[in-house]
Amino acid sequence: MARLIVDAVSQESKSVHDDSYVLLLFVSVSQADTGAPVNGLGHEHFKVCSPLGAVFEINILGSQEVDWEPADTEAAGCYSLRIVRKWAHSGELSEWNKLESSCFGLQVHAPGEHGVVHMGQTALRLESLTR
């Protein structure tokens, strides 16, 4: 198993984002030993945890890897994630309130050669700008 470096920041923007059920997160994943970007990950390679686990389930709806500028032909190892929360007791989506902040743990599992799994994680705080 090799260690991954995982950095994450909020991708929320008042001018671009207006879905009160989804928070956007921007994540960089690289190999600790070489610094090379980790490419080709899907939402199934990411996990989240929250101290609000008894009240809300936190889920990753989807992810999209972005490319390096200006040619936009080489994958960057940077991902845009869409995070939602559901009420634990009912499973219904819960809106994020404006200026509400939440802490998350984000873990990445990347498949390697010969069945080896590479892992890394980080903690972050997000603030909703919607509504």
Side-chain angles (χ1 to χ4, degrees):
M1 173 172 33
R3 181 175 176 264
L4 300 177
I5 298 171
V6 179
D7 291 308
V9 295
S10 174
Q11 191 180 330
E12 290 292 293
S13 168
K14 286 189 239 184
S15 61
V16 175
H17 185 69
D18 63 354
D19 185 345
S20 61
Y21 289 101
V22 177
L23 284 181
L24 301 176
L25 185 63
F26 194 69
V27 182
S28 169
V29 183
S30 58
Q31 298 175 10
D33 56 346
T34 64
V38 176
N39 303 115
L41 301 179
H43 73 277
E44 67 276 7
H45 297 106
F46 296 90
K47 289 184 182 180
V48 292
C49 69
S50 166
L52 300 176
V55 179
F56 295 110
E57 284 182 16
I58 308 296
N59 298 104
I60 299 173
L61 278 187
S63 68
Q64 177 182 356
E65 186 172 10
V66 298
D67 296 332
W68 289 113
E69 303 282 351
D72 288 331
T73 58
E74 181 185 355
C78 294
Y79 300 85
S80 180
L81 302 182
R82 297 174 52 223
I83 296 177
V84 296
R85 69 179 178 188
K86 298 177 182 179
W87 290 101
H89 67 281
S90 69
E92 291 181 33
L93 285 176
S94 171
E95 288 185 296
W96 301 94
N97 297 312
K98 186 173 183 175
L99 303 180
E100 176 182 5
S101 63
S102 299
C103 295
F104 296 96
L106 177 69
Q107 189 176 74
V108 180
H109 295 248
E113 294 181 7
H114 310 294
V116 174
V117 176
H118 307 298
M119 295 172 42
Q121 67 184 43
T122 191
L124 65 143
R125 184 175 157 239
L126 292 177
E127 185 173 293
S128 176
L129 298 177
T130 61
R131 299 198 113 201

